Amino acid sequence: MFLNHDAAFTTFAPAINDTLPQHTATLSAQTKLETKRGWASVDDLIVGDRVSTMDGGFATITAITHPKRRAPLVQVPGGVLSTCSDVALPADSHIALSPPARWSQVTVVSVPIKALSGWNGIRPTLFAGPDLATLHFEEEEMIYAQTGLLIHAFDANADSFFPTLSYGDTRALLALLDGKMPAPDAAAA
């Protein structure tokens, strides 16, 4: 008639998902990405949404995490790098930049956004972004943001399909694009 409710309990460790895809891009929550249902802010995205990529397809977001860190932001004014409006990105983000054909055989290179500070009105902001989201993808992607800006989602610990320039190489590329540095002499190389 009466049940014996004596039970032994044990402690369990919380499940940690360390199998998240490492091809990531960290963005501020207000950044707009092109999805199958139209343009959406990063803070409106959910796992399973598909975002537009450079290759003309759509990549599925496999996970969304929120870093516990605050990152300094870099402000890209509207109209620069094919953006339709101002966008703030974490300083450690990488974006696509097209090098001149005479400089490289590739169509785009991945460059750190902080290396573009001072070029065409791009500048660091005075505050750190508290509302960041990291989007995870199964594969390396260049995703569209703010109409035409391409943001590189990649694994920093693996080889990249896109050539990834250092800070110094990016600054040299900017000087070349602005005509402040002669093109490399391919015949002499």
Side-chain angles (χ1 to χ4, degrees):
M1 179 161 162
F2 295 103
L3 296 174
N4 181 0
H5 292 289
D6 291 340
F9 293 96
T10 186
T11 57
F12 289 94
I16 298 174
N17 186 357
D18 59 357
T19 61
L20 288 175
Q22 296 305 310
H23 301 288
T24 62
T26 300
L27 307 168
S28 60
Q30 295 79 27
T31 304
K32 301 252 189 245
L33 300 181
E34 183 180 6
T35 69
K36 282 281 201 180
R37 63 179 195 274
W39 290 92
S41 296
V42 168
D43 58 352
D44 292 332
L45 297 175
I46 59 171
V47 172
D49 277 342
R50 296 173 53 85
V51 296
S52 180
T53 62
M54 183 176 104
D55 63 6
F58 285 83
T60 302
I61 298 171
T62 57
I64 300 173
T65 57
H66 298 278
K68 301 213 182 319
R69 64 181 174 89
R70 293 172 56 104
L73 300 176
V74 174
Q75 182 78 24
V76 178
V80 175
L81 298 172
S82 301
T83 59
C84 61
S85 60
D86 292 0
V87 61
L89 297 171
D92 56 357
S93 296
H94 280 70
I95 63 160
L97 199 60
S98 297
R102 65 184 186 273
W103 187 70
S104 175
Q105 300 300 319
V106 298
T107 56
V108 297
V109 293
S110 177
V111 301
I113 189 73
K114 65 184 169 193
L116 302 181
S117 292
W119 182 72
N120 286 345
I122 298 172
R123 60 183 169 68
T125 62
L126 299 176
F127 58 92
D131 52 351
L132 300 177
T134 300
L135 306 181
H136 298 256
F137 299 92
E138 283 295 325
E139 298 176 351
E140 180 178 16
E141 301 290 351
M142 286 282 188
I143 56 175
Y144 277 105
Q146 305 292 115
T147 306
L149 178 65
L150 283 167
I151 298 174
H152 193 191
F154 68 109
D155 183 348
N157 298 319
D159 290 335
S160 174
F161 174 79
F162 301 97
T164 303
L165 301 186
S166 67
Y167 184 93
D169 289 341
T170 302
R171 297 301 293 182
L173 175 59
L174 295 178
L176 180 64
L177 290 173
D178 287 344
K180 296 178 180 170
M181 184 169 117
D185 185 359

